[in-house]
């Protein structure tokens, strides 16, 4: 009887401790996401920045401010895309652009490889009827022919100025520098978070409120209305007919924003490790998932 009483007492202490820990974590999570809630913009401007990328016979990766912006590892010799940059711009001022060009086939960049960049600014991203208002080309760049140097990779870094009506400081205020932690422990924790995320998709148990609160940060940067936010969350929480969630495998860990953000990508094409396949339509879709570890309690949060 005495042993049972002791066990019950211990169990009670554990339950209370776990409850307090969960409450503490929820408070921190709310504190972080409250940063975006009812956000007051610095001014009435609503600009949008885009990067036009035209490439041929090469693969590439592009980061803006050490945040993933775009990559191309598909088996097509030519590709053109316009990448939105606002989600990578956290505040006004100087922005860093980093480009890595890799061989399309073989070990070296061929003489037929080429990539052109065009940075553009649209005046008003809320003016949909008028195609976002006036546009302006900020700068253009073309990769030189580097075939004679037999390069396995070509790296180009530059900066540009941007003016936005917001200032996102969440990562600077709350995120842990993961490079200071044990590499193996970080890897195991990130993998666990991805496994939990995948299970929530499979079991249809994703927390709608959690998604809305965390997506508010991105929506501050692209100025949408509540209707688009609701639709985005709805799309994330449901799996379209025919779409099959694929196993979490053949992945590697990647870090961004000076080792404050972690994610898993597929080794094959550097796309998000959480992805869907529709065999009948031969279509694929991906669900990016970036996370950071808060300084106070060490919990992982969606970025």
């Amino acid at each position: 009887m005495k042993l049972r009483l002791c066990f019950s007492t211990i169990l009670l202490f554990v339950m209370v401790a776990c409850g307090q820990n969960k409450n503490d974590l929820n408070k921190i999570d709310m504190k972080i996401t409250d940063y975006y809630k009812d956000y007051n913009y610095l001014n009435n401007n609503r600009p949008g920045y885009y990067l036009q990328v035209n490439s041929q016979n090469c693969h590439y990766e592009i980061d803006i401010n050490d945040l993933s912006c775009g990559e191309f590892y598909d088996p097509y010799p030519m590709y053109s895309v316009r990448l939105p940059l606002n989600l990578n711009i956290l505040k006004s001022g100087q922005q860093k652009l980093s480009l890595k060009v890799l061989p399309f086939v073989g070990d070296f960049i061929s003489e037929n490889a080429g990539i052109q960049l065009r940075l553009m600014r649209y005046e008003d991203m809320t003016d949909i009827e008028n195609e976002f208002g006036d546009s302006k080309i900020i700068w253009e760049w073309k990769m030189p022919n580097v075939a004679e140097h037999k390069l396995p990779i070509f790296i180009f870094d530059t900066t540009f100025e941007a003016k936005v009506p917001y200032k996102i400081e969440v990562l600077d205020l709350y995120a842990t520098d993961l490079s200071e932690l044990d590499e193996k422990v970080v890897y195991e924790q990130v993998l666990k978070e991805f496994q939990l995320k995948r299970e929530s998709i499979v079991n249809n148990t994703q927390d709608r409120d959690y998604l809305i609160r965390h997506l508010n940060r991105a929506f501050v940067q692209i100025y949408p209305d509540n209707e688009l936010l609701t639709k985005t969350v709805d799309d994330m929480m449901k799996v379209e007919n025919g779409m099959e969630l694929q196993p979490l495998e053949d992945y590697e860990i990647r870090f961004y924003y000076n080792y404050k953000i972690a994610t898993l990508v597929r080794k094959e094409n550097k796309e998000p490790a959480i992805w869907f396949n529709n065999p009948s339509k031969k279509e694929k879709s991906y669900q990016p998932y970036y996370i950071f570890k808060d300084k106070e309690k060490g919990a992982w949060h969606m970025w």
Side-chain angles (χ1 to χ4, degrees):
M1 184 68 176
K2 187 177 295 185
L3 179 62
R4 185 176 300 172
L5 178 61
C6 291
F7 177 77
S8 299
T9 304
I10 293 172
L11 180 60
L12 177 60
F13 282 148
V14 171
M15 291 174 65
V16 170
C18 289
Q20 289 177 340
N21 184 52
K22 185 176 181 180
N23 288 335
D24 288 343
L25 296 181
N26 286 339
K27 287 179 181 178
I28 295 174
D29 195 68
M30 293 292 287
K31 180 180 179 181
I32 291 173
T33 55
D34 277 349
Y35 185 93
Y36 324 121
K37 186 179 179 182
D38 301 323
Y39 189 84
N40 292 317
Y41 287 101
L42 302 175
N43 55 58
N44 294 323
N45 297 325
R46 300 293 182 266
Y49 291 84
Y50 286 82
L51 186 68
Q52 178 70 40
V53 184
N54 300 319
S55 64
Q56 59 182 13
N57 298 301
C58 65
H59 290 150
Y60 64 77
E61 296 180 12
I62 299 175
D63 291 349
I64 302 292
N65 296 320
D66 200 29
L67 295 168
S68 178
C69 177
E71 64 282 316
F72 179 71
Y73 283 91
D74 290 352
Y76 311 117
M78 300 183 69
Y79 191 68
S80 180
V81 65
R82 183 168 294 185
L83 301 171
L85 304 186
N86 275 39
L87 293 179
N88 302 73
I89 298 174
L90 304 185
K91 59 183 178 181
S92 294
Q94 194 173 79
Q95 318 296 322
K96 181 182 178 181
L97 184 153
S98 300
L99 166 70
K100 294 180 181 178
V101 181
L102 303 107
F104 181 67
V105 293
D107 297 325
F108 305 110
I109 298 173
S110 76
E111 61 180 11
N112 297 320
I115 188 166
Q116 294 177 307
L117 305 179
R118 175 183 292 170
L119 182 64
M120 305 183 67
R121 182 183 191 272
Y122 288 85
E123 288 297 322
D124 187 357
M125 295 303 294
T126 64
D127 190 3
I128 299 176
E129 294 182 357
N130 295 305
E131 299 181 346
F132 310 132
D134 295 332
S135 64
K136 178 183 179 181
I137 298 175
I138 299 177
W139 60 255
E140 295 181 275
W141 176 86
K142 181 179 180 180
M143 185 183 83
N145 191 322
V146 298
E148 62 180 279
H149 301 292
K150 300 293 184 180
L151 299 179
I153 184 172
F154 175 82
I155 297 177
F156 171 68
D157 293 318
T158 189
T159 60
F160 65 93
E161 289 289 322
K163 294 182 179 180
V164 291
Y166 54 79
K167 189 176 183 180
I168 306 295
E169 299 179 293
V170 168
L171 294 173
D172 297 326
L173 292 174
Y174 301 110
T176 300
D177 182 349
L178 300 174
S179 67
E180 297 179 353
L181 306 180
D182 183 272
E183 183 178 350
K184 183 179 179 181
V185 172
V186 171
Y187 180 84
E188 291 174 348
Q189 291 183 359
V190 170
L191 177 57
K192 181 180 178 181
E193 293 299 315
F194 267 72
Q195 289 170 337
L196 291 173
K197 177 67 173 180
R198 187 180 180 282
E199 288 174 9
S200 70
I201 296 174
V202 171
N203 300 324
N204 194 26
T205 57
Q206 293 192 85
D207 188 326
R208 182 182 181 83
D209 179 64
Y210 180 90
L211 289 176
I212 290 175
R213 286 192 289 108
H214 284 267
L215 284 175
N216 269 328
R217 185 271 309 168
F219 278 71
V220 164
Q221 295 167 267
I222 58 176
Y223 333 114
D225 53 31
N226 290 331
E227 183 178 345
L228 182 56
L229 173 58
T230 300
K231 183 181 184 304
T232 301
V233 173
D234 288 342
D235 290 343
M236 291 180 66
M237 295 189 67
K238 67 182 180 182
V239 179
E240 294 183 10
N241 292 334
M243 281 295 180
E244 302 172 354
L245 184 59
Q246 300 302 298
L248 192 59
E249 59 186 16
D250 189 36
Y251 53 78
E252 64 186 31
I253 191 168
R254 289 214 165 183
F255 299 99
Y256 295 101
Y257 202 75
N258 299 316
Y259 280 86
K260 291 186 176 180
I261 290 178
T263 191
L264 297 181
V265 299
R266 298 180 64 206
K267 292 180 180 179
E268 178 186 10
N269 54 16
K270 313 307 176 188
E271 295 283 2
I274 298 178
W275 66 291
F276 304 82
N277 187 35
N278 188 329
S280 62
K281 294 184 178 180
K282 297 182 179 180
E283 294 178 345
K284 298 178 181 179
S285 64
Y286 301 86
Q287 188 165 138
Y289 190 47
Y290 298 92
I291 56 178
F292 66 93
K293 189 180 183 71
D294 75 67
K295 297 176 181 178
E296 189 172 343
K297 294 291 183 179
W300 290 92
H301 303 267
M302 177 179 171
W303 166 247

